[in-house]
Amino acid sequence: MGLTYRTYLNGNRIFGCSKCRTHLSTTDSIISKQFQGQHGRAYLFDTVVNVEEGPSEDRHMTTGLHTVKDIFCSRCRSVLGWKYERAYEQNQRYKEGKYILEKQLLTDVN
Amino acid sequence: MQRTRRQELVRLMVQAMQDMGFSQSAATLEKESGFPLESAAVAKFRDGVLKGDWTLVESLFPTLELDHNKDVVVVRFLIRQQKYLELLESRQIKKALVVLRNELAPLEFNSERLHSLSSFMMCSNAEDLKRRAEWDGAKGTSRQKLLVEIQKYISPSIMVPEHRLETLLEQATTLQRISCLYHNTNEYISLYSNHECDRSQFPSVTTHIFRQHTDEVWYVAFSNNGRFLASASRDKTAIIWSLETWNLVHVLRDHMDCVSFLSWSPDDSKILTCGQDNVLKLWSVESGECLSTMKKHDEPVTACAWLPDGKWFISGSQDKNTYLWNLDGTTIHKWPGARIADLAINKEGTRMVAICHDNKLHIYDLITKKEEATMDESAKLTSICLSSDCKYALVNLSTKEIHLWDIDERRIVRKYLGQKQGKFVIRSCFGGIDQGFIVSGSEDSKIYVWHREHADLIETLSGHKGAVNSVNWSPVNPYMFASAGDDHTIRMYVFYLILIFTSFFISYQINIILYMIINRWGPPGSADHNGKMKTP
């Protein structure tokens, strides 16, 4: 795959990859802060940039069965969280198409 | 042929013969066809102006069939102005004054000019007059110029414009040149047959492949003298190749991360490379050594360009700062504000055009260092290339379009469609002898070539496996260009003119041999052993 330039965001508070500081998302995009990932707290974001998606997997989570794709930083390829592809319970459908980023793997970028 | 067309053609031919000096033939043609080039009155008028016989000229006015009354006034003013200036030149001041008062002033036309004319009375001598009025005198070209001026107000069928047939032929050859899809030659266009460049003359065949890079190649650029090619790659190196020996010359290895762009200095002695490790490196072309490293950007350096004297260069980056550097590594100026994806500088070094992250083109005046203008684009821009006359800029959009912008008029003049791009940075360039081709890479591994004027897609070249990231045309050889691909290779497309002559010669030889074979050992009924025809 060829040369890509990273996307840059504007906003008050920008979250970036903790390893390479690539912009990922902003506070405006947060839907919920009440999620749990493998490394502790995680946030549900509406839109995220500069990430690549892995293959689809079915996972059983505390909230039920979901189809998810792990997401990686496009620059340093470190795992950042996952994206919800499908939710199999009606009350979980709001998560479809949204992204989870783990708080531990993020850093503030001004 | 229609009667009107016949008359027009004959009169044009008469004029052309007269222009070429064949006045006898011209007169014969006029007599034989019955179509004089000019009516007697018009001929007298033309003669009168060239001889300065102003009374005769004015008396012939009605024959000219000038359209509007306004035109009559203008022509009269022009004639009388010439009369006045000639009188002043020959120092007949009193007569000149009479002309000014009684002939020029009553026309009530162009009072500003009238004032200037009256001021010429003060000129001390003819030389002074000529200088002040920007007029070269009765013996100079002023009378011919007057005639050309007057002709603008006379119907062209009465007085045929000068060199009209020649003008028409120029238009025809220009039309043929513009319609020629593969036009890539400066040869003289003959009038005997329609000009059409052959498709086989376009460099569509890969003649060399350079394989030494170990990862995707993102950029290629010819040196200004056309003798070398340099490439930038994801394998963290840049390589210089010789286009004379077709071999690798140097591997420039020092960057900590991928090299995404490079630029040859105007004298081709140095190369600047831009890295995703946020630094700019200066290399010597001769030794392949890194001369200096410039660490000022906080984000990947995306593009750089030299100023024409080779002492300064500009670097653009995603960190919102664009710097003007000195060769010794100090920054002289900073333009803050835009995240630059690509930039280009014009030949004189007076203007820089850059594309930024916000889908805009920025034009900077390099002398005042101020931003001249911003132009909005509809989608993400991935590359910019300036034409050699620096009047046009070619930009690639991630929505699979390429736009040609007129920089002075600040508008899009052409759009080229067909190539595929969306995720990656794909670059394009101008090609061919008059930059009549637009060439671009594409994510579908093909190279696309369009005719610049018509925006027709004329070629799609396959060969690379994987996206073609960058294409560059040789600045000295109109039949050579290079492309860089994700498949780690660089392909050279060269058309050798000598191949045509070789194949003609060989086919001619083969023809001769075949002819001899058939005639010596041919079917019955043909010439026998001794070359005699067998009679039945």
Side-chain angles (χ1 to χ4, degrees):
Chain A
M1 36 136 284
L3 172 62
T4 45
Y5 290 138
R6 293 178 284 177
T7 318
Y8 291 84
L9 301 167
N10 298 313
N12 294 334
R13 214 175 141 205
I14 303 174
F15 293 109
C17 170
S18 55
K19 284 225 184 92
C20 65
R21 300 175 65 87
T22 305
H23 290 201
L24 296 168
S25 194
T26 59
T27 48
D28 304 325
S29 197
I30 295 180
I31 301 174
S32 163
K33 293 188 176 185
Q34 310 294 342
F35 278 77
Q36 287 291 320
Q38 289 154 333
H39 302 97
R41 281 189 67 188
Y43 297 164
L44 183 69
F45 287 89
D46 188 31
T47 48
V48 165
V49 293
N50 296 322
V51 292
E52 311 259 321
E53 296 166 9
S56 288
E57 287 175 5
D58 285 333
R59 267 187 219 158
H60 285 279
M61 302 178 148
T62 46
T63 43
L65 178 67
H66 295 83
T67 309
V68 299
K69 285 182 177 174
D70 280 334
I71 50 181
F72 311 88
C73 170
S74 63
R75 183 128 158 87
C76 62
R77 315 213 65 85
S78 44
V79 183
L80 297 167
W82 62 88
K83 177 186 181 186
Y84 287 103
E85 287 293 307
R86 271 200 71 187
Y88 294 95
E89 289 180 34
Q90 201 57 31
N91 57 352
Q92 303 296 316
R93 298 294 296 277
Y94 73 98
K95 297 180 193 167
E96 287 182 0
K98 310 277 186 277
Y99 303 81
I100 290 282
L101 292 175
E102 309 222 21
K103 178 101 177 44
Q104 178 114 18
L105 306 173
L106 296 179
T107 174
D108 273 328
V109 177
N110 10 341
Chain B
M1 206 194 283
Q2 257 190 351
R3 192 179 186 271
T4 348
R5 182 66 100 228
R6 276 189 82 199
Q7 181 181 22
E8 285 180 357
L9 183 57
V10 168
R11 290 176 76 199
L12 289 182
M13 282 163 62
V14 170
Q15 188 193 52
M17 283 191 212
Q18 284 177 352
D19 285 342
M20 288 192 279
F22 304 129
S23 40
Q24 273 186 22
S25 308
T28 316
L29 181 54
E30 275 184 312
K31 225 165 69 179
E32 197 174 335
S33 64
F35 296 135
L37 174 59
E38 285 171 338
S39 69
V42 171
K44 271 197 216 152
F45 178 86
R46 178 193 288 278
D47 224 26
V49 171
L50 289 174
K51 289 213 180 86
D53 188 347
W54 308 117
T55 1
L56 174 66
V57 162
E58 295 239 7
S59 70
L60 287 170
F61 251 62
T63 61
L64 296 178
E65 294 176 29
L66 286 167
D67 267 331
H68 313 280
N69 287 331
K70 200 162 58 87
D71 285 350
V72 174
V73 172
V74 175
V75 176
R76 274 197 211 277
F77 187 87
L78 288 171
I79 292 176
R80 290 173 185 179
Q81 177 183 247
Q82 178 76 6
K83 185 173 170 184
Y84 168 76
L85 286 171
E86 288 192 4
L87 285 172
L88 274 187
E89 187 193 7
S90 56
R91 309 318 293 158
Q92 298 177 54
I93 312 286
K94 284 216 183 89
K95 281 198 186 162
L97 195 53
V98 167
V99 169
L100 187 65
R101 278 211 195 115
N102 300 347
E103 296 184 23
L104 280 169
L107 288 176
E108 287 178 15
F109 174 78
N110 201 344
S111 48
E112 216 183 284
R113 182 67 185 158
L114 197 60
H115 283 154
S116 327
L117 288 176
S118 43
S119 76
F120 295 148
M121 280 268 196
M122 300 298 136
C123 292
S124 45
N125 56 29
E127 286 311 313
D128 192 24
L129 169 68
K130 285 184 192 170
R131 205 172 22 89
R132 299 251 307 257
E134 288 170 8
W135 180 78
D136 68 349
K139 296 269 182 341
T141 61
S142 61
R143 284 181 183 169
Q144 275 98 317
K145 279 193 198 146
L146 174 64
L147 198 56
V148 172
E149 266 304 308
I150 296 177
Q151 266 200 272
K152 289 184 190 159
Y153 299 94
I154 302 177
S155 156
S157 59
I158 299 205
M159 210 191 242
V160 178
E162 284 191 324
H163 314 304
R164 182 65 189 155
L165 191 58
E166 203 181 312
T167 312
L168 285 174
L169 293 173
E170 272 298 314
Q171 286 179 5
T173 50
T174 305
L175 180 66
Q176 284 179 16
R177 192 169 39 81
I178 291 178
S179 312
C180 173
L181 277 183
Y182 291 94
H183 189 74
N184 200 7
T185 167
N186 258 343
E187 271 172 16
Y188 168 72
I189 295 180
S190 161
L191 294 172
Y192 296 136
S193 61
N194 283 349
H195 172 77
E196 207 180 321
C197 280
D198 196 36
R199 184 173 175 263
S200 64
Q201 290 207 333
F202 185 85
S204 52
V205 177
T206 307
T207 50
H208 301 87
I209 303 183
F210 293 128
R211 295 183 195 276
Q212 271 89 337
H213 275 296
T214 54
D215 207 333
E216 298 168 5
V217 191
W218 283 345
Y219 189 75
V220 273
F222 283 86
S223 61
N224 293 303
N225 57 19
R227 293 169 52 211
F228 297 98
L229 186 73
S231 56
S233 166
R234 193 165 177 249
D235 65 8
K236 309 187 188 122
T237 67
I239 297 184
I240 304 179
W241 315 84
S242 160
L243 297 178
E244 284 154 356
T245 65
W246 300 100
N247 275 332
L248 189 151
V249 177
H250 288 301
V251 177
L252 309 178
R253 194 190 307 275
D254 206 26
H255 274 283
M256 298 290 143
D257 205 336
C258 324
V259 187
S260 61
F261 195 91
L262 53 83
S263 180
W264 288 86
S265 66
D267 61 357
D268 292 330
S269 62
K270 298 186 248 316
I271 287 188
L272 274 173
T273 53
C274 303
Q276 303 245 296
D277 50 3
N278 307 357
V279 306
L280 199 60
K281 280 185 187 285
L282 183 67
W283 307 80
S284 153
V285 172
E286 170 119 16
S287 64
E289 278 173 15
C290 177
L291 298 173
S292 65
T293 305
M294 282 142 283
K295 292 189 184 126
K296 198 114 186 227
H297 288 290
D298 303 316
E299 296 284 340
V301 188
T302 51
C304 58
W306 291 80
L307 265 81
D309 58 8
K311 297 207 190 86
W312 290 300
F313 48 86
I314 297 187
S315 70
S317 162
Q318 301 270 68
D319 71 348
K320 291 200 193 168
N321 292 325
T322 311
Y323 292 111
L324 173 63
W325 302 81
N326 205 330
L327 255 190
D328 60 15
T330 52
T331 51
I332 305 181
H333 190 82
K334 175 169 101 167
W335 287 275
R339 296 191 203 269
I340 301 292
D342 200 353
L343 61 90
I345 298 184
N346 70 350
K347 275 222 186 72
E348 297 87 34
T350 53
R351 211 183 226 174
M352 170 169 72
V353 190
I355 51 171
C356 77
H357 178 249
D358 290 318
N359 307 349
K360 292 194 182 34
L361 283 98
H362 297 260
I363 305 181
Y364 297 90
D365 182 325
L366 287 179
I367 304 180
T368 62
K369 312 262 188 332
K370 290 208 173 57
E371 185 169 326
E372 264 179 29
T374 325
M375 286 110 82
D376 284 313
E377 260 291 2
S378 50
K380 193 168 104 148
L381 302 166
T382 59
S383 78
I384 186 165
C385 180
L386 280 178
S387 64
S388 58
D389 59 4
C390 301
K391 291 209 186 106
Y392 297 95
L394 195 65
V395 290
N396 276 51
L397 279 81
S398 58
T399 46
K400 300 190 251 194
E401 288 181 15
I402 299 180
H403 291 175
L404 185 64
W405 280 84
D406 181 322
I407 299 182
D408 295 312
E409 293 186 21
R410 317 250 158 94
R411 62 187 184 92
I412 299 178
V413 290
R414 287 289 183 285
K415 289 192 184 182
Y416 306 98
L417 307 168
Q419 42 79 284
K420 309 272 179 294
Q421 73 175 95
K423 276 179 72 182
F424 306 133
V425 172
I426 301 289
R427 298 185 199 266
S428 56
C429 69
F430 292 91
I433 209 163
D434 314 310
Q435 303 215 309
F437 303 127
I438 304 286
V439 194
S440 173
S442 171
E443 282 176 23
D444 65 4
S445 72
K446 299 203 194 103
I447 296 175
Y448 289 79
V449 186
W450 293 266
H451 186 260
R452 175 176 166 177
E453 282 297 319
H454 299 317
D456 286 335
L457 184 64
I458 58 177
E459 285 284 350
T460 319
L461 305 172
S462 311
H464 275 287
K465 298 180 183 39
V468 183
N469 297 314
S470 163
V471 285
N472 202 261
W473 202 286
S474 166
V476 297
N477 185 345
Y479 300 103
M480 182 194 287
F481 72 95
S483 65
D486 270 357
D487 55 2
H488 312 191
T489 65
I490 299 161
R491 283 171 169 253
M492 300 293 308
Y493 297 80
V494 191
F495 171 72
Y496 293 103
L497 272 172
I498 196 78
L499 277 174
I500 278 194
F501 298 129
T502 319
S503 61
F504 271 5
F505 182 73
I506 289 178
S507 70
Y508 181 68
Q509 296 286 52
I510 291 175
N511 274 334
I512 300 244
I513 293 171
L514 282 174
Y515 179 81
M516 283 168 51
I517 291 174
I518 288 173
N519 275 357
R520 278 183 79 87
W521 298 293
S526 64
D528 76 355
H529 208 66
N530 292 330
K532 287 194 200 133
M533 281 297 288
K534 281 191 181 142
T535 47

